[in-house]
Amino acid sequence: MNADALASAYELLHSSVMTCGGEPVGTVAAVATYGAEAENYHDCFVRDFVPSALVFLADGQPAIVRNFLRTVLKLRSQHQRIHGHQIEPAVLPASFRVTTDETGRERIRADFGDHAIGRVAPVDAMMWWVILLNIYCRATGDKALAAEPEVQRALRGVLELTLREGFEVFPTLLVPDGSFMIDRRMGVYGHPLEIQSLFYGMLVSAIELLRDTPESHTLLALAEKRTNMLRNYVQLFYWLDMERLNEIHRYRTEEFGSGSINMLNIYPESIPDWVVDWLPPRSGYLVGNLGPGRMDFRFFALGNLLAIIFGITSPREGQGIMRLYQDRWDDLIGNMPAKLVYPAVAGKEWVFMTGSDPKNVPWSYHNGGNWPVLIWAFVAAAMKTGRGDLAQLALDGADRALPQAKWPEYYDGRAGNLIGRRAHLNQVWSAAGYILGHKLAEDETLLDLFCAVDQREAAG
Ligand code: GLC
């Protein structure tokens, strides 16, 4: 471990704390360097705050996390009508900021996507909020917050919204493009893996937090049923290894009726070339997205890592994903852990998929960039599957490079060896993710914050 690097990360984390009325309520996305940040990087993003929150909890400083959870909840009242339709009251903001008016009074302004680039819907925020609330309860033993009527109402609201009957025939959750960490057009509409992993983590957390009252009884039963269906479905249909690739390669198509094997009618012709040579034996992963006639074969790191952390994958699958990391280290970890999506899309595919987004050019940003924040999730998944060796290797890479480079948001290049062309420096979740990665590697019991103890998987 590099003590100077940790000290530098802590300095950034502490300088990023955002206060309201003198109380800490969150951390900003990036601390100003040369005034070059995007306008909303002074906001506290719900998803960005998660690694910060976990560090504060592990350090025995729960107040900021409790304030954050309360603040985000109160912000629901700021919902506005957008183009004539009301946003669901359960939807939580992507981010918020503290502003001061002429009289010096502080106000918090929420962004429900209405201020964001592309007006993307932050579906993951409500999931993270529930998951973080449960982690807060587990870490502090403070059950009072979750028992508050307003919190119980909010939990019911999130469940009602996500479990509501729609037009769907799958147990997975249908979302628009850019509704999670990848908050730009990247062909991630439909049933992206990261949302399904978060959905599962949220359901398990909500079941633990919601009191069984006449008002919540039916919802709880529904949530339990959905949790099981979701886990089975993801395991069955998202999982890809050599055996399964062989099956898909020889799939019968256009089958009718309930007995069909290729239920989603995936055409073998849609298997991309790269995957055939790339997928090593005895390893596998969960594909990025799934829908009728559509399998997105790209590897999405956070969805896979969270699936391990929340216990969606079986122990064998967890081992398979970590073996993929081991065998394809240069592609998936490279110089700076870790690749967000592999591989990048290029050429016409990039034009159609991203709408010619210059920030998402091949091997940059969301399109194959490397994101230091992913270190914490990688270390957590590695520790959970008994691969502390891989966790250590990833941390070693970060130790050397991150503080010197001033905690960049992301790296470019196939190997992640270039600081992202438009990356912000002093990006807070890069530092918080790094601290958390070290903490998880040193103290495995922190993993219990994410899942029940009996779910720990031994090395296979
Ligand atoms: C970018 C990322 C998003 C993150 C935000 C603030 O928009 O894609 O996931 O929350 O920056 O860091």
Side-chain angles (χ1 to χ4, degrees):
M1 196 213 309
N2 180 333
D4 289 345
L6 267 186
S8 153
Y10 264 115
E11 202 184 311
L12 176 55
L13 179 65
H14 289 144
S15 68
S16 74
V17 171
M18 176 193 264
T19 60
C20 188
E23 293 290 322
V25 291
T27 50
V28 295
V31 171
T33 36
Y34 312 106
E37 292 74 26
E39 201 220 321
N40 60 356
Y41 274 59
H42 303 301
D43 281 22
C44 174
F45 284 75
V46 171
R47 71 176 74 88
D48 291 42
F49 183 66
V50 171
S52 299
L54 293 169
V55 171
F56 286 121
L57 289 174
D59 284 341
Q61 293 162 8
I64 183 170
V65 183
R66 190 176 49 240
N67 295 341
F68 167 88
L69 289 165
R70 281 227 168 86
T71 303
V72 171
L73 197 59
K74 277 200 219 115
L75 290 173
R76 286 182 310 162
S77 61
Q78 290 190 13
H79 278 153
Q80 297 192 350
R81 271 171 198 284
I82 301 180
H83 306 313
H85 59 149
Q86 183 93 40
I87 301 180
E88 291 292 341
V91 172
L92 296 180
S95 70
F96 60 87
R97 71 173 59 177
V98 181
T99 57
T100 315
D101 65 20
E102 317 80 61
T103 65
R105 269 229 332 255
E106 283 178 331
R107 258 196 95 238
I108 300 191
R109 194 202 74 183
D111 175 11
F112 291 87
D114 41 331
H115 296 282
I117 297 169
R119 304 292 184 267
V120 281
V123 180
D124 65 340
M126 70 181 93
M127 313 283 181
W128 277 123
W129 183 83
V130 177
I131 291 166
L132 187 59
L133 175 63
N134 199 30
I135 290 178
Y136 167 85
C137 294
R138 284 180 177 184
T140 59
D142 170 8
K143 306 273 181 252
L145 176 62
E148 285 175 14
E150 202 199 339
V151 175
Q152 289 284 312
R153 248 198 318 277
L155 288 168
R156 286 198 301 273
V158 172
L159 285 185
E160 267 157 19
L161 176 61
T162 51
L163 297 175
R164 177 176 299 163
E165 288 290 329
F167 299 111
E168 273 291 70
V169 290
F170 309 120
T172 38
L173 197 69
L174 178 70
V175 293
D177 220 337
S179 61
F180 53 102
M181 179 177 169
I182 298 180
D183 55 1
R184 281 172 179 248
R185 182 175 159 194
M186 261 286 283
V188 291
Y189 58 90
H191 305 92
L193 177 65
E194 184 175 321
I195 284 287
Q196 311 317 322
S197 295
L198 286 171
F199 185 27
Y200 182 86
M202 182 282 282
L203 286 173
V204 173
S205 305
I207 291 170
E208 208 169 310
L209 293 166
L210 197 58
R211 296 194 14 230
D212 195 353
T213 61
E215 271 173 306
S216 61
H217 193 71
T218 317
L219 263 181
L220 273 170
L222 257 178
E224 266 175 44
K225 204 166 151 210
R226 185 70 169 263
T227 309
N228 292 329
M229 284 168 67
L230 180 64
R231 184 167 188 263
N232 290 340
Y233 181 89
V234 170
Q235 279 195 1
L236 201 62
F237 293 104
Y238 281 66
W239 182 250
L240 187 76
D241 55 13
M242 253 312 163
E243 200 180 314
R244 187 108 167 85
L245 194 60
N246 264 294
E247 253 174 56
I248 300 172
H249 181 65
R250 293 167 56 81
Y251 256 165
R252 280 182 54 182
T253 56
E254 325 234 337
E255 298 170 295
F256 288 97
S258 55
S260 61
I261 296 182
N262 181 7
M263 199 178 83
L264 293 163
N265 198 38
I266 307 295
Y267 290 103
E269 290 77 1
S270 70
I271 298 175
D273 273 351
W274 65 264
V275 82
V276 180
D277 302 323
W278 185 75
L279 191 58
R282 296 172 61 239
S283 66
Y285 65 98
L286 299 168
V287 295
N289 210 330
L290 207 56
R294 172 179 184 217
M295 184 176 268
D296 185 340
F297 288 84
R298 285 176 294 170
F299 176 87
F300 286 75
L302 194 52
N304 272 280
L305 298 171
L306 291 177
I308 295 178
I309 295 169
F310 295 140
I312 302 176
T313 48
S314 69
R316 191 184 67 84
E317 289 165 349
Q319 293 299 326
I321 294 171
M322 295 321 289
R323 208 170 289 121
L324 181 69
Y325 269 107
Q326 179 180 304
D327 291 350
R328 294 285 175 256
W329 191 259
D330 291 346
D331 292 334
L332 299 181
I333 297 288
N335 270 35
M336 178 50 64
K339 189 71 75 194
L340 183 61
V341 178
Y342 180 88
V345 291
K348 283 257 159 55
E349 207 182 350
W350 167 77
V351 170
F352 297 142
M353 193 178 271
T354 71
S356 302
D357 180 352
K359 202 161 174 183
N360 273 339
V361 291
W363 307 110
S364 184
Y365 204 50
H366 299 146
N367 186 15
N370 290 34
W371 290 66
V373 63
L374 297 175
I375 291 171
W376 80 262
F378 179 77
V379 171
M383 298 310 285
K384 191 171 174 198
T385 49
R387 295 306 309 266
D389 56 329
L390 297 183
Q392 208 44 61
L393 221 58
L395 284 167
D396 287 349
D399 275 343
R400 285 190 301 273
L402 274 179
Q404 281 99 315
K406 295 205 169 54
W407 309 102
E409 179 188 19
Y410 67 95
Y411 284 70
D412 287 342
R414 272 173 196 272
N417 52 352
L418 297 167
I419 294 173
R421 179 171 288 153
R422 301 206 205 169
H424 293 111
L425 301 183
N426 289 335
Q427 183 78 18
V428 175
W429 68 355
S430 297
Y434 171 81
I435 302 173
L436 184 58
H438 272 292
K439 283 189 183 298
L440 285 158
E442 275 155 34
D443 178 7
E444 267 185 68
T445 61
L446 281 177
L447 287 174
D448 300 340
L449 295 178
F450 295 101
C451 58
V453 183
D454 59 358
Q455 271 195 17
R456 286 265 201 89
E457 293 158 21

